[in-house]
Amino acid sequence: IRDRQLGSPQMRVRFERKGMTPDMWKAFDGPFDTNDDLARYFNIVGPAYWHTYNPELARRQTRDVIFDVATCMHSLGLAAEWNITPRLQQIRARTLIIGGGDDVIYPVSETQVLHDNLPNSELRIFEHSGHYVYAEEHDAFISCVKAWFNRK
């Protein structure tokens, strides 16, 4: 799983398919020097993270978020450098993998790699969701997680 790096050619193609405007691309390309820059990014580019953008739902989604550019940049650096795919076979725990069918950050192809390499995993793709499955298909998400926990 290597194409999550922000700005990678694969990720840019996925964002392009979401209809990015020039203002969105400008925000996408940074800079991200301050917490306000990061918050601005999510306010401008945020619609691309959703299958069906709902401004009110998006506002509720981010109202309590603390935007911290240092933490975000550190995690993006780790995601770009850290590949655990070869070690996934060692994980024996029962695992539920949830993905959005229209997720620009973790596309179905990446969630499929996880599923293919985790021996005891179940994959559930929510076709009418982007990155925020739990918000866009809330009731179906809750039902899925409850059903998974109730299975022995």
Side-chain angles (χ1 to χ4, degrees):
I1 303 174
R2 300 300 297 166
D3 72 344
R4 272 196 323 267
Q5 184 175 2
L6 192 61
S8 72
Q10 300 94 331
M11 188 173 282
R12 289 188 82 85
V13 166
R14 292 193 301 268
F15 272 94
E16 181 67 37
R17 289 184 189 136
K18 296 296 290 186
M20 295 274 283
T21 66
D23 285 343
M24 292 169 87
W25 280 117
K26 183 177 178 184
F28 183 88
D29 290 329
F32 302 106
D33 297 325
T34 68
N35 296 343
D36 287 341
D37 291 339
L38 185 60
R40 193 170 16 269
Y41 165 85
F42 280 103
N43 285 331
I44 295 170
V45 181
Y49 283 70
W50 299 79
H51 176 71
T52 305
Y53 182 64
N54 176 325
E56 178 54 33
L57 188 56
R59 269 191 296 283
R60 287 196 320 256
Q61 171 77 17
T62 58
R63 74 174 164 228
D64 295 325
V65 171
I66 298 170
F67 292 99
D68 186 287
V69 74
T71 302
C72 183
M73 293 300 114
H74 180 73
S75 66
L76 288 172
L78 289 175
E81 298 170 8
W82 193 39
N83 182 6
I84 63 163
T85 306
R87 298 183 63 199
L88 292 175
Q89 291 289 328
Q90 298 171 10
I91 299 171
R92 299 290 177 217
R94 195 168 140 251
T95 307
L96 175 60
I97 302 166
I98 293 175
D102 194 24
D103 190 341
V104 294
I105 303 299
Y106 296 96
V108 172
S109 60
E110 289 191 17
T111 53
Q112 186 65 52
V113 168
L114 288 173
H115 177 59
D116 291 346
N117 286 279
L118 281 166
N120 196 17
S121 66
E122 178 180 330
L123 175 62
R124 174 70 162 85
I125 300 297
F126 289 79
E127 294 299 329
H128 303 288
S129 291
H131 194 61
Y132 304 114
V133 173
Y134 58 89
E136 289 193 272
E137 294 186 71
H138 178 79
D139 292 343
F141 172 83
I142 296 297
S143 294
C144 173
V145 172
K146 282 182 177 179
W148 184 81
F149 273 113
N150 288 328
R151 283 194 291 280
K152 302 291 182 215

